[in-house]
Amino acid sequence: MPRRRTYTRRYSRRAFLKHARQNVPPSASSLQSNTTSTLRTTTSNLSTSSKRSSLPSHQKITKRTKLDITSTSANSNSNVPMDGYTILQNQVLFTLMCKTNCEGCGNRWNGTININKREGLFVILSFHCSSCTNTITIETSPKVVASDRRDINVRSQIGSHLCGIRYAGLVKLKGAMNLPSPIQDERYSKWDKDLLVSVKSFSDRSMKKAVEEAVTAANGRELMVSGYGFWQTRGFQSRHGAAALLSCNTTPKVLDIETCSKTCNVCALAIKKSNPAKYNDVIRSHHCEKNYNKSSGTIEADAVLNMFQRSVSKYEIYYIKYVGDGDSKTFAKLSDKPPYPGKVIKKIEDLNHFSKRMKRQRETKKREYGKKQVSDGKTIGDKNRLSKQKIIRLQMAFASTIRKCKHDLDLLFKRSWAIFWHKYSTNDDPRHDSCSIDWCGYLKAARDGTSYDHTPHALPRPVLDAIKPVFDNLCSRKSLERVLDASSQNPNEVFHSLVWLMSPKHKTTSGTTFEIACHLAIIIFNDGYFALGDLFNNMCGYRGYYTDQAMIHFDNSRLHSESKTSNRKTRKEAGRDVQKNVDNDQTNNNNASGNDDKTIDIDEEADDDNNETNPGDQPTTQDNETIIDNDESITDDNDTTSSSDESSNDSDDKTILNPDTRTNEDVGKNDETSVDEYGYYNPKDRRRWKEEE
């Protein structure tokens, strides 16, 4: 009787991940019950690891205090916030008046509407009855306490800075919406100076609170900080620049900032005047924005030095460790002019910049060799040799090793060279003495008593001999000492992105506007958007229902974006574990039954390259690897992502939104109606954060 040949359906990696997420085993009959158990166990661990308490943004955006929204709760039968604004066309208002009776004559009202006064968006409307000449006047916006300003104009000015459109953009927006033009440009600029004073007071309060948290985390008043300079426009010829110092803990925050301006708009305009007497009056009376006379390229070094020199008088703290990139002149200036007599400031390399040197030096070696043949008769850049992808993966492995082993120089030295010797190993000459069993497939195979093939992941030895000087340079003990206790400047970059959202780099601006953007970014970066409600409360006398709803929404979106990025990484790791467990169980079943048929075809490389490129496990938030949360890239659950693991089941993120940022006490209403009322994106969205117990 001829042997019966069986065929089994092949399952791809994506199919297994989808089944793992849905907690449903594959339908193939060849998968046994132990495989199903493995899938469910891994999925359970995945959901448990998705709690969000350890991520920086979640810890920064704390629980909200109970709000006193008396205006919205005054009328329990109405869902219209009485402290909010509603845009009405004048014709609609006129039609409404024609349906009422005049309080003077008692007849149906029939008259005209006039504007008695207009100041930006604020107007005083008068309703004149043609029958009895009775006139009623109303003001469309309340007056700010102890000021002649109107609430709607102050809010529109703050909003223009938050959106980065400033006065010119505000004029265009109101023109497109058929609204009156904003206040005059000169008054707008004058109000900007008052706004800057208020914003600076709140940012100073936020930075003082951040210093206290950093001191508590460091258990002392000697801190490690990361400094980075940025300019208002691209290049080093910008007229305005700044530098900020951020704490290097699990929740990095801005501790201090120094802004520098090389020009003053008032002085520049006054110089153009032909009247010398008026010029002298302007120069004597105005507050000059110009506070820096040197080259724009030196702003970063000088600003950081100034912040170091005032740390004791301002906060009573010492910055004894400075995280910076290798091409900056800042540390050289700190060494030339020591800010703390008797204390030595230690330079710590930014681990991302340091790991990039591995990539650049390998690319340099590849260019040096060019088409020159090595000992095996091939060039180092031939197919399956030192490709661009291999260079990047080796850089990632080096960066991950630094993150994992940065607290132990001996271990860091050993694991860094493990990357080289792992690739150098062959079946005849394995060299895995420096490898870790956590990621090395050879050590795992030796532990389990199975065979291991080096061919898929190893690089030819002539290629490795050519790039060995790169390892000798960067993986020496002397070189690795610079990344002991290393941190990252990624939080600085995140902070810069917030500044550039409100002061775009492609638009020149005044020093006052640039400073407002910097201090608004500090409040948002340190405490979240909801903290801006205190600014509105101070400037306008109340926060506002819709203002609170908007700020809560932005914080939730910020946390949701961070959550999706974190969960994507977690699912990738869990998916690899699922694949390994399924593969091992199926192999054992096949060996036990003597079946030679291959039941699973995994669409990954049959080696440990994926693990090797991350020998130190995934970076954590304790390593200061802050996830960039660009506030303009907010997505809903229907959006697709670049990750193949994410695209098949994006709805998994709907269950992990933060309770700390939205509570019934915060908004004074039910959660679901709050989302629908505000409705910035999908009103059917019911995402919630689940608080960790």
Side-chain angles (χ1 to χ4, degrees):
M1 183 176 180
R3 182 181 177 182
R4 183 178 179 181
R5 191 173 289 182
T6 59
Y7 296 91
T8 307
R9 182 180 177 182
R10 296 171 179 256
Y11 284 88
S12 67
R13 178 173 179 268
R14 181 177 296 180
F16 274 108
L17 291 178
K18 183 176 181 181
H19 284 294
R21 295 192 193 110
Q22 295 177 347
N23 215 0
V24 178
S27 58
S29 59
S30 61
L31 297 182
Q32 304 300 323
S33 60
N34 57 351
T35 306
T36 304
S37 176
T38 301
L39 289 172
R40 290 181 175 175
T41 301
T42 306
T43 308
S44 176
N45 294 336
L46 172 61
S47 62
T48 303
S49 64
S50 299
K51 294 186 178 181
R52 308 287 297 110
S53 62
S54 62
L55 290 179
S57 291
H58 186 140
Q59 294 183 14
K60 284 194 229 178
I61 302 174
T62 56
K63 288 187 177 181
R64 310 305 182 196
T65 57
K66 186 175 181 179
L67 302 179
D68 182 18
I69 311 180
T70 56
S71 57
T72 57
S73 59
N75 187 358
S76 59
N77 297 325
S78 174
N79 60 356
V80 178
M82 301 305 295
D83 64 352
Y85 287 94
T86 301
I87 297 179
L88 289 176
Q89 189 187 41
N90 293 332
Q91 182 62 42
V92 175
L93 187 59
F94 181 79
T95 303
L96 176 64
M97 288 297 299
C98 291
K99 295 180 180 180
T100 62
N101 294 331
C102 175
E103 66 175 2
C105 61
N107 299 325
R108 183 61 60 91
W109 186 88
N110 183 19
T112 58
I113 300 178
N114 298 317
I115 297 178
N116 289 357
K117 180 182 178 181
R118 187 181 75 83
E119 182 181 298
L121 285 175
F122 164 74
V123 294
I124 297 178
L125 297 176
S126 64
F127 302 89
H128 181 74
C129 178
S130 58
S131 300
C132 64
T133 68
N134 181 50
T135 302
I136 302 174
T137 60
I138 62 171
E139 298 180 352
T140 58
S141 179
K143 182 183 291 187
V144 176
V145 179
S147 173
D148 292 333
R149 304 178 191 176
R150 294 293 173 167
D151 173 73
I152 187 64
N153 291 328
V154 175
R155 290 179 178 271
S156 64
Q157 185 166 5
I158 297 175
S160 67
H161 285 285
L162 287 174
C163 298
I165 59 177
R166 300 192 291 277
Y167 182 81
L170 197 60
V171 173
K172 293 179 182 178
L173 176 63
K174 293 182 179 181
M177 296 184 66
N178 196 23
L179 290 170
S181 60
I183 57 176
Q184 293 85 354
D185 194 1
E186 292 183 2
R187 183 177 295 186
Y188 184 94
S189 300
K190 181 181 178 181
W191 287 9
D192 265 355
K193 298 183 183 301
D194 297 333
L195 176 61
L196 176 59
V197 174
S198 297
V199 174
K200 286 184 70 173
S201 65
F202 284 100
S203 68
D204 289 342
R205 185 180 68 179
S206 176
M207 289 188 289
K208 288 180 181 179
K209 181 181 176 182
V211 169
E212 294 174 0
E213 295 175 359
V215 169
T216 302
N219 196 22
R221 309 200 73 83
E222 296 183 346
L223 306 180
M224 178 171 69
V225 293
S226 62
Y228 213 161
F230 57 100
W231 288 260
Q232 198 276 318
T233 55
R234 293 184 176 90
F236 295 99
Q237 301 299 323
S238 176
R239 297 178 179 179
H240 311 292
L245 294 180
L246 273 70
S247 57
C248 295
N249 48 29
T250 56
T251 56
K253 294 185 178 182
V254 180
L255 304 182
D256 201 357
I257 190 170
E258 177 81 2
T259 56
C260 302
S261 297
K262 298 176 61 178
T263 60
C264 175
N265 285 0
V266 177
C267 293
L269 292 174
I271 290 174
K272 297 179 181 179
K273 302 294 183 180
S274 58
N275 190 343
K278 187 175 181 180
Y279 168 74
N280 294 330
D281 292 339
V282 170
I283 294 300
R284 285 194 301 266
S285 61
H286 89 291
H287 176 72
C288 188
E289 298 176 354
K290 184 176 181 180
N291 60 0
Y292 196 76
N293 297 319
K294 299 180 183 179
S295 170
S296 299
T298 61
I299 286 179
E300 178 181 351
D302 289 341
V304 171
L305 178 61
N306 290 339
M307 289 186 286
F308 268 70
Q309 290 175 341
R310 71 186 181 210
S311 65
V312 178
S313 60
K314 188 175 183 179
Y315 299 128
E316 296 182 355
I317 59 176
Y318 297 91
Y319 305 134
I320 61 171
K321 294 182 180 179
Y322 177 76
V323 180
D325 49 17
D327 57 354
S328 174
K329 299 179 181 179
T330 304
F331 185 72
K333 176 154 287 191
L334 292 175
S335 301
D336 295 339
K337 299 179 180 180
Y340 313 125
K343 290 184 178 292
V344 178
I345 300 175
K346 182 180 179 182
K347 169 68 180 298
I348 298 178
E349 293 282 348
D350 173 73
L351 60 89
N352 291 323
H353 283 84
F354 190 80
S355 62
K356 286 179 182 177
R357 297 179 188 176
M358 182 74 76
K359 174 177 177 288
R360 290 195 295 266
Q361 292 188 23
R362 288 198 188 103
E363 291 174 341
T364 301
K365 281 289 182 184
K366 186 176 179 180
R367 288 193 299 268
E368 288 178 356
Y369 275 86
K371 296 184 179 181
K372 180 181 176 181
Q373 295 182 350
V374 291
S375 58
D376 60 354
K378 299 180 180 179
T379 63
I380 64 173
D382 280 347
K383 186 177 180 181
N384 298 326
R385 293 164 80 85
L386 194 63
S387 62
K388 183 177 180 180
Q389 182 182 9
K390 288 289 185 182
I391 292 175
I392 294 176
R393 294 178 73 176
L394 288 173
Q395 176 205 343
M396 293 169 59
F398 186 48
S400 181
T401 301
I402 296 173
R403 294 189 187 99
K404 184 68 176 179
C405 309
K406 63 183 182 181
H407 302 299
D408 188 340
L409 179 59
D410 294 333
L411 183 62
L412 178 58
F413 176 79
K414 181 179 179 181
R415 292 289 184 260
S416 299
W417 276 103
I419 302 172
F420 178 84
W421 295 117
H422 184 80
K423 291 288 186 180
Y424 202 81
S425 301
T426 63
N427 293 332
D428 298 331
D429 184 19
R431 301 191 183 186
H432 298 279
D433 295 337
S434 300
C435 293
S436 171
I437 198 171
D438 294 334
W439 54 268
C440 181
Y442 175 82
L443 296 181
K444 291 180 180 180
R447 178 194 61 189
D448 300 335
T450 58
S451 60
Y452 182 81
D453 185 16
H454 291 80
T455 306
H457 74 83
L459 283 173
R461 288 192 169 182
V463 175
L464 291 171
D465 290 335
I467 64 174
K468 191 173 183 294
V470 177
F471 281 88
D472 292 332
N473 180 26
L474 295 179
C475 297
S476 64
R477 291 182 181 272
K478 182 178 179 180
S479 180
L480 293 175
E481 283 180 353
R482 293 184 290 176
V483 289
L484 275 180
D485 299 321
S487 186
S488 170
Q489 290 181 313
N490 282 357
N492 297 73
E493 297 286 3
V494 177
F495 172 68
H496 298 171
S497 67
L498 284 175
V499 175
W500 292 327
L501 284 176
M502 293 175 279
S503 180
K505 293 178 72 68
H506 63 280
K507 295 180 180 179
T508 57
T509 184
S510 66
T512 300
T513 303
F514 178 64
E515 274 196 84
I516 291 175
C518 291
H519 290 283
L520 285 174
I522 290 173
I523 299 173
I524 297 171
F525 183 84
N526 285 1
D527 305 314
Y529 277 94
F530 193 82
L532 291 176
D534 295 335
L535 175 64
F536 284 97
N537 193 34
N538 179 70
M539 297 286 294
C540 305
Y542 69 104
R543 301 167 66 97
Y545 175 81
Y546 290 120
T547 299
D548 281 331
Q549 290 297 302
M551 301 305 121
I552 290 171
H553 163 78
F554 291 139
D555 282 341
N556 281 348
S557 299
R558 174 181 176 180
L559 295 173
H560 178 63
S561 299
E562 184 183 25
S563 170
K564 290 177 70 174
T565 304
S566 176
N567 290 337
R568 188 181 304 126
K569 293 181 180 179
T570 306
R571 281 198 296 272
K572 284 184 179 181
E573 290 301 309
R576 291 169 184 167
D577 294 338
V578 169
Q579 287 286 11
K580 293 175 184 177
N581 293 334
V582 171
D583 192 23
N584 292 337
D585 292 340
Q586 186 60 42
T587 302
N588 295 335
N589 292 337
N590 288 340
N591 293 338
S593 61
N595 187 3
D596 294 332
D597 293 331
K598 295 182 179 180
T599 59
I600 300 178
D601 180 34
I602 301 175
D603 60 348
E604 291 184 345
E605 291 179 286
D607 56 61
D608 59 346
D609 256 5
N610 283 332
N611 290 328
E612 181 269 330
T613 56
N614 195 3
D617 299 329
Q618 289 292 339
T620 63
T621 55
Q622 284 75 11
D623 296 326
N624 263 352
E625 285 302 294
T626 306
I627 302 170
I628 296 180
D629 39 25
N630 191 332
D631 297 275
E632 288 196 337
S633 59
I634 298 172
T635 59
D636 58 24
D637 290 323
N638 295 325
D639 291 341
T640 57
T641 61
S642 58
S643 170
S644 60
D645 302 327
E646 180 77 5
S647 59
S648 61
N649 197 3
D650 190 36
S651 61
D652 292 346
D653 293 327
K654 293 184 178 180
T655 60
I656 45 173
L657 278 180
N658 183 8
D660 296 349
T661 57
R662 294 188 62 227
T663 62
N664 292 338
E665 290 82 3
D666 286 341
V667 296
K669 286 183 175 293
N670 182 273
D671 247 359
E672 296 186 0
T673 58
S674 301
V675 176
D676 288 340
E677 284 179 357
Y678 195 68
Y680 263 70
Y681 54 72
N682 187 5
K684 297 181 180 179
D685 188 5
R686 289 294 179 269
R687 297 174 294 185
R688 298 289 183 273
W689 287 87
K690 187 176 295 183
E691 186 171 8
E692 184 178 15
E693 298 178 357

